[in-house]
């Protein structure tokens, strides 16, 4: 029963991620995940045949966490993009991040997840180049002897370093501001609303705001 409920929850996450089209799930029972493909090569081939019979199916979502090796192996057999629950949740966060800082944090998390999985991910999900003011691409040419995977890995590492540097600068600014709080600021309580993805946090916050307006 837990597997069925988890699969229903995964389908709702897919809806939140705006994955369109018909969806169909399957459950496999085994003692432990297959180290090569997570579900086993036989089940992966069965999934590939099932996908081929359904025109338009272009993504397989695994209700678990795939290792870089199992992600690459599964993709080679199924021949479409294979993602796990972690990648799906990160995509939801990326779609709903509103602030500049929130977007940067999600981008950093996505790159940390993507880096060890480049070989099995297919087309890279990050921007292929950052353009300077003069209109010339900074990554226009690869270094001598570099493969595509090495180029992608270098770009991701450079972007991650830039995001971490900006994050550290923001943390230092925030600590400096907290060191000298005003009297009025100390009297204002802080509230944190935490919950699982798609649990209704925004709905609860919006309802609380409406009640506050009515009470005034």
């Amino acid at each position: 029963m837990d597997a069925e409920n988890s699969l229903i929850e995964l389908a709702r996450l897919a809806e939140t991620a705006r994955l369109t089209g018909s969806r169909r799930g399957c459950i496999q029972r085994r003692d432990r995940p297959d180290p090569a493909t997570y579900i086993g090569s036989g089940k992966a081939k069965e999934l590939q045949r099932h996908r081929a019979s359904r025109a338009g199916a272009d993504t397989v979502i695994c209700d678990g966490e795939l290792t870089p090796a199992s992600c690459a192996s599964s993709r080679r057999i199924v021949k479409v993009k294979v993602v796990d629950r972690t990648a799906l949740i990160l995509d939801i966060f990326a779609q709903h991040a509103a602030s500049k800082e929130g977007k940067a944090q999600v981008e950093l998390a996505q790159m940390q997840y993507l880096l060890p999985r480049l070989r099995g991910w297919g087309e890279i999900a990050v921007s292929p180049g950052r353009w300077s003011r003069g209109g010339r691409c900074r990554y226009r040419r690869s270094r001598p002897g570099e493969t595509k995977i090495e180029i992608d890995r270098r770009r991701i590492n450079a972007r991650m370093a830039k995001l971490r540097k900006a994050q550290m600068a923001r943390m230092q600014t925030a600590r400096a501001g907290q060191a000298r709080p005003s009297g009025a600021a100390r009297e204002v309580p802080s509230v944190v609303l935490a919950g699982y993805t798609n649990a209704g946090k925004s709905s609860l916050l919006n309802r609380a705001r409406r009640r506050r307006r009515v009470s005034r």
Side-chain angles (χ1 to χ4, degrees), residues 129-198:
R130 317 294 297 185
W131 292 88
S132 63
R133 292 183 180 179
R136 298 176 62 185
C137 184
R138 297 177 189 172
Y139 301 123
R140 186 165 53 89
R141 295 181 181 178
S142 62
R143 294 173 181 173
E146 271 191 321
T147 63
K148 183 180 182 299
I149 294 295
E150 290 170 341
I151 295 170
D152 291 340
R153 187 175 288 114
R154 175 165 56 87
R155 293 176 184 175
I156 290 178
N157 281 323
R159 180 61 178 163
M160 287 172 62
K162 184 177 180 180
L163 289 170
R164 288 194 179 105
K165 185 177 180 180
Q167 191 177 59
M168 290 297 296
R170 285 192 296 269
M171 289 174 62
Q172 290 175 357
T173 302
R175 281 197 295 265
Q178 292 171 358
R180 298 181 298 274
S182 63
R186 284 196 297 266
E187 296 175 1
V188 178
S190 297
V191 179
V192 177
L193 183 62
Y196 193 65
T197 304
N198 209 29

Side-chain angles (χ1 to χ4, degrees), residues 17 62 68 72 80 103 105 107 112 117 120 125 139 154 163 202:
C62 176
V80 292
K103 291 178 180 178
Q105 289 176 343
E107 184 182 1
Q112 288 173 330
R117 293 171 172 83
Y139 301 123
R154 175 165 56 87
L163 289 170
S202 298

Side-chain angles (χ1 to χ4, degrees), residues 51-69:
R51 183 207 62 78
S53 66
R54 298 175 64 87
D58 58 2
T59 304
V60 172
I61 305 173
C62 176
D63 189 19
E65 186 168 351
L66 297 172
T67 65

Side-chain angles (χ1 to χ4, degrees), residues 55-144:
D58 58 2
T59 304
V60 172
I61 305 173
C62 176
D63 189 19
E65 186 168 351
L66 297 172
T67 65
S70 60
C71 182
S73 299
S74 299
R75 184 182 181 277
R76 281 196 298 269
I77 297 174
V78 183
K79 302 187 186 306
V80 292
K81 186 175 182 179
V82 178
V83 299
D84 57 16
R85 178 181 279 258
T86 301
L88 183 63
I89 292 175
L90 286 174
D91 184 60
I92 293 172
F93 286 160
Q95 291 184 37
H96 292 82
S99 66
K100 184 177 180 180
E101 183 176 359
K103 291 178 180 178
Q105 289 176 343
V106 173
E107 184 182 1
L108 181 58
Q110 284 182 313
M111 289 184 174
Q112 288 173 330
Y113 172 88
L114 176 63
L115 192 59
R117 293 171 172 83
L118 283 178
R119 197 172 296 277
W121 196 259
E123 292 300 322
I124 190 167
V126 298
S127 173
R130 317 294 297 185
W131 292 88
S132 63
R133 292 183 180 179
R136 298 176 62 185
C137 184
R138 297 177 189 172
Y139 301 123
R140 186 165 53 89
R141 295 181 181 178
S142 62
R143 294 173 181 173

